[in-house]
Amino acid sequence: EFNRIDLEVLSVVAQQVLDIQRAIAARQTSFVFEGTTMQLKWSAWCAITMNPGYAGRTELPDNLKALFRTVAMMVPDYAMIAEIILFSYGYRKARDLSKKIVQCYKLCSEQLSSQDHYDYGMRAVMAVLRAAGNQKRRFPTEDEFKLMLRSIVDVNLCKFLSPDVPLFQGIIGDLFPGVDLPKADYREMEQAMRDVCAKKNLQPTEYFMTKTTQLYEMIVVRHGLMVVGMPFSGKTASYRVLAEALCLMRDRGQDGQLGAEYHVINPKATTMGQLYGQFDPVSHEWTEGVLAVIFRQVASNTAPHRKWLVLDGPVDALWIENMNTVLDDNKKLCLNSGEIIQMSNTMNMIFEVMDLAVASPATVSRCGMVYVEPHQLGWRPLAISWLSTFPDHIAQTHKDQLLALFDWLVPVTLRFVRREIKEASGTLDSNLVTTLMRNITSLTSHLADQQVVDGMQPAQVLQHLECTFVFAAVWSLGGTGSGNADRVMFEQFFRHALTSTLPDYTGPSGERYTLPEDIPEGHTTLQSSNAMMPAEGSMYDFFFDKTSATWKPWSTLVNTDPIPCETPFRKIIIPSIDTVRYAYLLEAAVGKAQPVLLVGPTGTGKSVLVASFLNTLDPDVYAPANVVGFSAQTTANMVQHLIDSKLDRRQKGVFGPSLGKQSVVFVDDLNMPQPEFYGAQPPIELLRQYMDHGGWYDRQNAFRRIDDCKFVAAMGPPGGGRQHVTARYLRHFNTVSMTEFDTATMERIFCSIMDWGLDKGGFGTHIKEMRDAVVQATLDIYRKVTTSLLPTPAKSHYTFNLRDISRVMQGFLLLGAQQLPAEKEPAKDKYKRLWVHEVMRVFYDRLVEPKDRQWLLDFVKLTVTERFGSQFDVLFNHLASQGKGRELGIDEMRKLFFGDYMDIQDPSETDNQDSAPSQRHYDEISDMAKLTAAMEELLSAHNESSKKPMNLAIFLYAIEHVSRIARVLKQPGAHMLCVGVGGSGRQSLTRLASFIMGMQTFQIELSKTYSLSDWREDLKSIERNAGELGKPTVFLFSDTQIKNESFLVDINNLLNSGEVPNIFPNEERQALMETCRQQSQKKGLKLETAVEVWDYFLDTARENLHVVLCMSPVGDAFRERLRQFPSLVNCCTINWFPEWPEDALVAVAQKQLDSLPDVSNEERSSIVTICRTFHMDVRHLSKQYREEAGRINYVTPTSYLELLNAFTTLLGAKRAEVMAAKRRYEVGLEKLLFTEQQVVIMQNELTDLKPKLINTVAETERLMATVQKEKTEVVEPKKAIVDVDVQKAEEAANAANAIKKECEDALAEALPILEAALSALDTIKAADIKLVQSFKSPPSTIKLVMEAVCVLLDVRPTRLKDPSGSGKMIDDFWPSAQKVLTDPNFIKTLKAYDKDNVPPAIIERIREKYISHPDFTPANAAKASSAAEGLCKWVTAMASYDRVAKVVAPKRIALAEAEEAFAKVEGELKAKQADLKEGMDRLHDL
């Protein structure tokens, strides 16, 4: 699998392989590899195996391809391989059977459907052959055709889809004609499985039993297998039932079974490193992975029972490819740490997956497949198991009636839903039926009490059950439609179905629901008289009241009490039919621990509804709710940390809320996490692991069981930045679609808000009469922009929701009654202008193009006329720039201002009590001159008090955006998204607006070392400032400061909930809460619990914190961030900074050029016009360039400012250049005048010196003649003689150097040997010498070496009698050698030996007797003694040196003679050169 390695690594590998190949080609025995010298065997060889061209594989780089020879591995002859293997198993008909196997797979590949999990390759053939071998060993006398047919069926039948099964049966029927396959004897196993199903309240249907048996057969023949199928197909139940059945058979002693155990891991709930193990990037320490730990644990378990490692999660081409060595015949898990874990024979790897759409062929071929289909299992077994959970005091007839209602209505309703209804979130049939059953369970909880049932008549019990069934069916089978139109369609259909009038009904698609399965023969009907909902109104408008046993409209539960005046605007919740019914369903489901998923578009109140419901939970029963907000950057580790941090440890491996309590986890924006490359969403997979298996693995690889946790989730419909969530997770939820409010509901909600605001503000009756018109007009605008201004890639922020209407209302209520004129009509006109202003601030300010702005303005004009009965141009006549009668356009509407910044008494004290924003009056501003002057005063006040003064030009464009930002900052807890290119003034104007509103501006200081922990510390500081200290704070954050995308995750949380989850450690949190408790007491609030104190802190932080985001629309980043973090749009008022208009260009240029000295007003005006023209022309040309060439040239305000700066800089430079030239000319003129004066003086002097000059010329001519004579007669002859002597000296020097080089070359051979010998002498230790000296009869080698040493040192031998008995006297050097060795200066004597004067007789004897001796080598001497080795080297070196010295000696004599001759010549030369120099110096003087 070589090409699974990353391309960057492959390039390094190529260089390493090249190093090895070059070393082999050079026949080196060692080479330097990656900085290390390594030994090299020439037989070293590399081979690559890989599968080209599918998911997860990379193309090999060219520098790697060039080093290898490509060999294509062709498909082998399956028949020959199968024949040989079958012969080895003992089959006599191996040839025929092998052909049948190959033909079977060939026909299957041609005739059966193409599925991701079908594989007919070599591994599939091997699986059949292994199964055939098992069959032959088990039934050695059975017909071989039957054994082979059994093997093919067992291995393949389980993986085929139901439509392919008949085709497969036909193929094997043709291949094995007349072969009847007896049914395998699994009676004992089937009985055990039935007993387990009864224990688990499962229905042992024939399909389920078949698939479980097939799973067992696959486990027997394959050590790696996959259970593939959609949710509700019985995958998990299948292996769980099989494991328990095998354990039951073991306990009963049946079939030799030894039981089974299984361990489940979701591989996508962790990172790859946490799954397999990883090295720490800093310390390089190895950290174990959860899979490696459990795999090792299971593999080392020597118990004989079966052990299954179940990997329950999506398969992709990355993590499972690391299992290739486990799944093939190696059966080894290879880890990055170098550890290899061998799989035991009792182990199986089981993968539980929904599909194999992104799995590689390498994975599919390695695994056996068991495919299960939900429609084969159906929903009826679920219903039967559910009914069996009913208490015994519910009569069986009532249970039968319920089941009959299911059989009658569920199939046809499911068919209708699948054909006609567009679901907000995709569901499965069994999921809808499960939701129906859960709803019935939660809504009939009162019937679980036997006393209640005993006090009711059977007919009453049946009535409760039937009414609850109808209600639950409406909110389950019909509760997932995406819009109100879907609900209307479902109601029409369901009323016909309930009244048995389906033959009269035709669906919206034209389909008629009259098939036999739609209307079962002899079906039951509703037996209770009032089981049908009232015909007046929608089925969605009623609920069944258990107390009165009647249908009641939801409106009876709606709280109609007026909103308390002291309620802050952002806390207003208007009860409606929608909030009541969704809260009703939510309460019922949570009470029975049923997960609930609310799906609806943004602005339908999902989060608010759940939050208000969570606040109503009994604190004695429930721990504080855990709210987890998802975003595109959310990871599984983040989610695990957020949930684990709120849980307590109950016992080892068991966690949960405080003992005795339950916890609700609310997951908001469930479908926001960005899918990985292959589609998996790790945060979702983590939560699914809890739903399926009751917990997850912690970072220590231990399983954490989580108890008493209930889940509620909310999300928008998939699309845009919202993803499709896997059906394997959604199957656990009761899905409830929250449709957008209908017109009546929206009118009621916003009319209630208007009533509250008008009553609170003390407005007169004439203003209150405008309530309906204001609400209707706002809804008209909202509906029009949502249908007409649709988002595009360039306008991705064109998404509108009900929050925008709320923003209009909130801004609308900023105006106080005292700001209106006393007269009714002028007051109404001003109120209408306020409405136009607020609508434009919310909807108009985000628009990108002038045509969009003009379109919206035209529609606002139309709405004003239709809803308010006023002429728009008359209403805003004071804004017209050219008198009355001219139609108002977008340029004139720029002068429409409402704000409180004109109510500031002293601009330098914007934060004092009298000028506090809460005390100022929000009013219309019509005098533009006063407004500009006021803004300039405020800017000056800001610059005086700020450490960062701003050099801004105050013009209409800047005032517009300051006003917009200030309006948002005036609203408690409001946020803003400023969108514009660089230099448009987003940050500067925000700072000014923040100063005007008396707020502190906080902005992070980015640096190279700025880290995530620094970011969190800054966020904590901001939250403390806003929540603990209660100071209004503006958090200004620019997209250029996004060093890490996780910053936006925290911003997303701040915008959504006002806090970053778990940002405060427990100690800091306790200290912060203590401060908040004291502050709340000062305000007269009595907060008792920690939850109330923390809510107070968060509420204060939300009210005081304003996040202002500054982003650039350039590139894809802006669009991607809006898609990934919807709160950037949903929770912010958007302010688009368009390109600067002409008046802005003029104002900025005038401001910049005012400081230019020596420029007349006329010239300055011309320069301003030129700069504006340049900028406008380039802007138009860039637009034309984009249209024609498709390429973008950005012309930003920064470009304009650079133009002005470049002009002022260039003007300054040119002026400096001109002044320098002027000064240079002035200096030149002065020098010319001075020169002229000096020339006159010099001419006078020259006249006086003329006679002297004539005499001097004559003397000079005589001197020149003398010089020429000296040069010709004296200097030049001497120079010629010296040149000849120099040449002779060079020749003598060359001769001496040649002789010297010959000597050095000759000595170069002997000197290294001599130095090595002297070095060897240094290694001889005194102990080594003593060791040699101690020998009485030394080894022959030592004796030979010491004899040679003695000869060289001219030491006489001792004369002894021949020990062999010849009677002669012989020379024995050993006694003499021992004496020599006793000399303490022995080594020094050897080093100082006179090697240049060795007597010829001695050296001749050394060469003849010792050097030529075969045993006289340092290697042999080393075997005897290290001292002998050194002495042997010394003797050898003396001989070598003497040989060279005799050659060198004559040359040294010649060298001395040559050097003497050279010295003599050189002395004479120097004397002549001195004489020559003297002559030259004399000549020079002349």
Side-chain angles (χ1 to χ4, degrees), residues 1231-1248:
K1231 294 294 183 184
L1232 285 174
L1233 181 60
F1234 175 76
T1235 304
E1236 185 181 358
Q1237 295 170 351
Q1238 293 296 317
V1239 166
V1240 172
I1241 295 171
M1242 291 170 65
Q1243 283 178 340
N1244 293 334
E1245 292 178 351
L1246 186 60
T1247 304
D1248 295 339

Side-chain angles (χ1 to χ4, degrees), residues 900-921 970 996-998:
D900 65 356
Y901 33 81
M902 295 296 286
D903 197 25
I904 300 175
Q905 303 302 323
D906 185 355
S908 64
E909 299 181 3
T910 57
D911 55 351
N912 68 17
Q913 193 62 32
D914 295 333
S915 297
S918 58
Q919 303 298 321
R920 300 183 203 154
H921 299 299
K970 186 174 180 62
I996 291 172
M997 300 309 293

Side-chain angles (χ1 to χ4, degrees), residues 569 750 778 781-782 785-786 789 797-814 834-848 856 860 896 922 963-965 967-968 971 974-977 1129-1136:
F569 181 88
F750 294 112
T778 307
I781 297 291
Y782 171 72
V785 296
T786 52
L789 297 177
H797 58 290
Y798 277 25
T799 53
F800 305 90
N801 55 67
L802 294 181
R803 288 191 180 98
D804 295 315
I805 303 179
S806 299
R807 292 190 188 105
V808 173
M809 294 300 169
Q810 188 175 8
F812 203 66
L813 299 175
L814 292 175
L834 173 64
W835 176 84
V836 171
H837 175 267
E838 297 306 317
V839 164
M840 294 187 73
R841 296 293 72 80
V842 173
F843 296 104
Y844 178 92
D845 287 350
R846 76 175 67 193
L847 302 183
V848 176
L856 180 59
V860 169
L896 175 62
Y922 189 77
S963 178
R964 294 174 187 179
I965 299 169
R967 170 187 169 274
V968 171
Q971 302 169 4
H975 310 293
M976 191 164 218
L977 173 61
V1129 174
N1130 298 337
C1131 299
C1132 293
T1133 300
I1134 301 177
N1135 182 20
W1136 185 276

